[in-house]
Amino acid sequence: MLGRLLAPYVRRVFARAPTRLDRFLNPFENLVYRLGGVNSNHSMNWKEYSISAIILNSFQMVFAFLIFLFQDRLPLNPQGFPGLTWDLAFMQVISFATNTNLQHYNGESTLSYLSQMTAVQFLQFTSAATGICVAIAMVRGFTAGSKDLGNFYVDFVRSLTRVLFPLCLVASLIFVWLGIPQTLSGYTLVKTVEGTTQLILVGPVASLVSIMQIGTNGGGYYGANSAYPFQNPNPASDILEILLMLLMPTVLCFVYGEILGKKRESRPILWGSYALFVIDLGIAFIPNPTLGPGMEVRFGGFFSAFWTVVTTAVTTGSVNASLYGMHPFVILSAFMGMLIQATPGGKGVGLMYMIMYVIITVFVVGLMSGRTPEYLRMKITARDVMLVMVTFLVHPIIILIPTVLSYSTGAANAIGAGSDSLGFTQVLYEFTTAAANNGSDFFGASANTPFFNISTGLVMLAGRYAPIFLLLALAGSMIGRKRSPEVGLKTDSIVFSIVLVGSTLILVVLTFFPFLALGPILAFFQGHLNGFS
């Protein structure tokens, strides 16, 4: 319901429709455009849009890399933490800039307040904004009468000022009310009632939690992420964080129909996404969820498993329990969410992937019925099919090759990941979560080695920008394409949604089943039922 209510507002934001906020925000936004030398009235084709996104993201990564590298010489470091090594800084900058938030460090003992706010939170905002922008641009390409994909810089600024900042401000205030700290004071050493001393780890946590969940980022302030009491203190905050993870991906499903001017076309996107999500839940809850090692008694087995399904379904990557405590079927469900990437997927990219699956389904239905495939009354060409299939094939390539390399080089064994079903699952999960820009993982700081830092960094880059580039090329090819006066294939029906779900499952399962069979499925048959360790 909240997604449906927010969708018209988001559409107006990117249509640059007049609102009451203009008198306050227009002067600030125009100042940003002038300082950046941006012509806000310039329209971009798909190449300009893609390159603009990559260039801006690259400058942001350089800025954050320098902060990580030299944080020991910069202010707001009351704990006196040293700068990060170059390979860890390289990996973490890419991780946050690509909306992955895979963390090979423990935040409370590694990063200064300045790094947390101006590198981590900064990139969490900009990566979330980039994801929203490219999805909106792709939808514009499918819109009848569209002549361009818009202006990336304008979309980027407006997504920050009119969508993410307001939502995060409200969420931050609620989180503070629920007990999450928000302070720049240093850590405090206190004496407990038992007479021992304890270091109270506080900081600007509430503001980070808001963007990490709303932006489907997932990178937490603490190494334990949302299993840490200061980041997720009670069941109320747990439920709110789950809702915030699902918010923007769901909103964009409705925005798709709003921008097209055909709200019914949101149905297969929304129905298909949440049908796949329900299937993931069904897999995870085949066993009765019970407390395992690394689970919080505050949330119990049910909410620990439910969170794991949600955080991988929307590629957020935050956790409220250790993955080591999960049943193999919960891990299998997590794999499915990350491999499909559209259940409903991360904000922006999840919508793009679901449109990709729609194109594939339309093509398959066309082959089965012996007619030219059509979508939105446009003929789907061989080039369109080639683009979506190359996009799909990027994923298995960048997951499986580094997985094999990690064993052939001995890097996996060096961090304690054996070649049995459990160790293979953990390594496969590491590169799957990197490729899907998800960020949940088994290893954490133990993967802080040159091999895993560099390899996951490269996988995250390819997993983020290759699909964006290819799918924006698809959207660009749709501009000006002739549309049939008659409706061919009816894509807003429940029948098409069922076919969409079936074709997506078949495509993903056939591609990855052999590797899942060697991992979580084999672990289940070997009797690892309560505690994936």
Side-chain angles (χ1 to χ4, degrees):
M1 181 60 70
L2 187 56
R4 184 188 294 273
L5 292 175
L6 281 175
Y9 169 75
V10 174
R11 177 190 60 80
R12 290 195 299 270
V13 166
F14 291 101
R16 303 177 74 172
T19 68
R20 295 180 181 178
L21 295 174
D22 289 347
R23 58 182 297 186
F24 304 105
L25 295 178
N26 276 351
F28 171 74
E29 292 169 352
N30 291 332
L31 176 62
V32 173
Y33 301 145
R34 286 197 299 270
L35 292 175
V38 173
N39 179 3
S40 61
N41 296 316
H42 174 66
S43 299
M44 297 179 175
N45 58 31
W46 73 268
K47 291 182 180 178
E48 287 181 281
Y49 205 98
S50 303
I51 293 172
S52 298
I54 292 172
I55 290 175
L56 184 60
N57 282 198
S58 298
F59 276 108
Q60 292 162 358
M61 283 189 269
V62 171
F63 169 74
F65 179 80
L66 294 174
I67 290 177
F68 283 147
L69 209 60
F70 300 110
Q71 73 172 4
D72 56 326
R73 306 178 190 178
L74 296 172
L76 290 178
N77 187 11
Q79 288 77 36
F81 294 140
L84 274 61
T85 60
W86 74 267
D87 58 302
L88 180 58
F90 168 82
M91 177 268 175
Q92 293 303 157
V93 162
I94 294 174
S95 180
F96 292 116
T98 58
N99 203 237
T100 308
N101 289 239
L102 180 64
Q103 293 172 283
H104 287 174
Y105 68 92
N106 293 319
E108 70 273 22
S109 60
T110 306
L111 295 186
S112 68
Y113 290 162
L114 184 71
S115 294
Q116 292 276 18
M117 292 189 298
T118 61
V120 176
Q121 290 184 46
F122 165 71
L123 290 178
Q124 287 183 337
F125 273 104
T126 59
S127 65
T130 300
I132 294 172
C133 292
V134 294
I136 297 296
M138 185 178 183
V139 178
R140 287 183 183 133
F142 283 80
T143 305
S146 178
K147 298 179 180 179
D148 54 72
L149 298 188
N151 185 305
F152 171 75
Y153 299 111
V154 173
D155 291 341
F156 183 81
V157 171
R158 291 175 72 87
S159 66
L160 288 171
T161 58
R162 298 168 185 260
V163 180
L164 293 176
F165 286 164
L167 288 175
C168 288
L169 175 61
V170 173
S172 298
L173 294 175
I174 297 174
F175 281 135
V176 171
W177 176 66
L178 289 173
I180 298 178
Q182 179 71 21
T183 178
L184 293 179
S185 300
Y187 296 169
T188 303
L189 190 66
V190 299
K191 181 171 289 188
T192 67
V193 292
E194 291 87 0
T196 60
T197 58
Q198 181 178 347
L199 190 64
I200 305 299
L201 309 176
V202 294
V205 185
S207 59
L208 188 146
V209 174
S210 63
I211 184 58
M212 73 175 261
Q213 305 295 29
I214 292 174
T216 65
N217 289 285
Y221 187 89
Y222 303 100
N225 207 275
S226 287
Y228 199 86
F230 283 176
Q231 188 168 309
N232 189 10
N234 49 58
S237 64
D238 193 69
I239 293 172
L240 178 58
E241 290 187 39
I242 290 173
L243 292 176
L244 292 180
M245 283 190 268
L246 291 166
L247 178 61
M248 285 308 300
T250 305
V251 169
L252 290 174
C253 289
F254 288 106
V255 169
Y256 179 68
E258 291 274 347
I259 295 178
L260 288 180
K262 299 178 180 179
K263 294 183 180 180
R264 292 172 64 94
E265 290 297 338
S266 289
R267 290 179 177 179
I269 302 294
L270 187 68
W271 292 347
S273 297
Y274 274 93
L276 291 166
F277 176 69
V278 169
I279 292 171
D280 281 353
L281 281 176
I283 294 172
F285 287 108
I286 288 175
N288 181 32
T290 57
L291 279 173
M295 290 187 183
E296 279 291 318
V297 294
R298 288 175 292 139
F299 311 127
F302 175 85
F303 275 107
S304 296
F306 186 78
W307 179 296
T308 302
V309 176
V310 172
T311 195
T312 48
V314 297
T315 66
T316 301
S318 60
V319 295
N320 72 345
S322 171
L323 294 179
Y324 284 102
M326 298 297 172
H327 190 282
F329 278 178
V330 178
I331 301 301
L332 177 62
S333 174
F335 268 112
M336 292 298 293
M338 294 186 293
L339 295 174
I340 295 173
Q341 293 199 78
T343 57
K347 43 91 225 61
V349 176
L351 174 61
M352 298 176 78
Y353 265 89
M354 183 51 76
I355 296 173
M356 177 192 77
Y357 289 125
V358 169
I359 298 298
I360 294 174
T361 303
V362 166
F363 174 69
V364 171
V365 171
L367 289 178
M368 294 174 64
S369 61
R371 59 186 298 172
T372 302
E374 292 184 1
Y375 182 52
L376 300 176
R377 295 186 294 151
M378 296 183 292
K379 291 184 178 180
I380 302 302
T381 66
R383 181 177 181 272
D384 300 332
V385 177
M386 180 195 71
L387 285 172
V388 296
M389 289 312 301
V390 171
T391 303
F392 178 81
L393 290 173
V394 166
H395 211 47
I397 290 171
I398 63 176
I399 291 173
L400 301 179
I401 290 178
T403 299
V404 172
L405 286 175
S406 68
Y407 281 105
S408 63
T409 60
N413 292 326
I415 61 171
S419 56
D420 59 354
S421 63
L422 299 180
F424 178 76
T425 298
Q426 293 159 12
V427 174
L428 182 66
Y429 195 101
E430 179 80 4
F431 290 108
T432 301
T433 195
N437 301 132
N438 173 254
S440 61
D441 72 315
F442 281 92
F443 298 129
S446 64
N448 181 17
T449 65
F451 175 87
F452 279 99
N453 285 338
I454 296 171
S455 61
T456 53
L458 295 176
V459 168
M460 287 185 285
L461 280 175
R464 174 71 163 180
Y465 294 111
I468 285 176
F469 189 83
L470 291 166
L471 293 177
L472 285 182
L474 173 67
S477 70
M478 296 292 175
I479 295 176
R481 186 171 296 187
K482 184 178 179 180
R483 295 176 185 257
S484 171
E486 298 180 358
V487 177
L489 178 65
K490 189 176 177 61
T491 56
D492 58 0
S493 66
I494 187 67
V495 174
F496 180 80
S497 300
I498 294 172
V499 176
L500 172 62
V501 171
S503 62
T504 302
L505 284 174
I506 291 172
L507 191 64
V508 173
V509 170
L510 287 179
T511 302
F512 290 100
F513 181 79
F515 309 98
L516 296 176
L518 293 173
I521 296 176
L522 179 58
F524 167 73
F525 285 108
Q526 289 177 335
H528 299 280
L529 304 181
N530 189 18
F532 206 75
S533 59

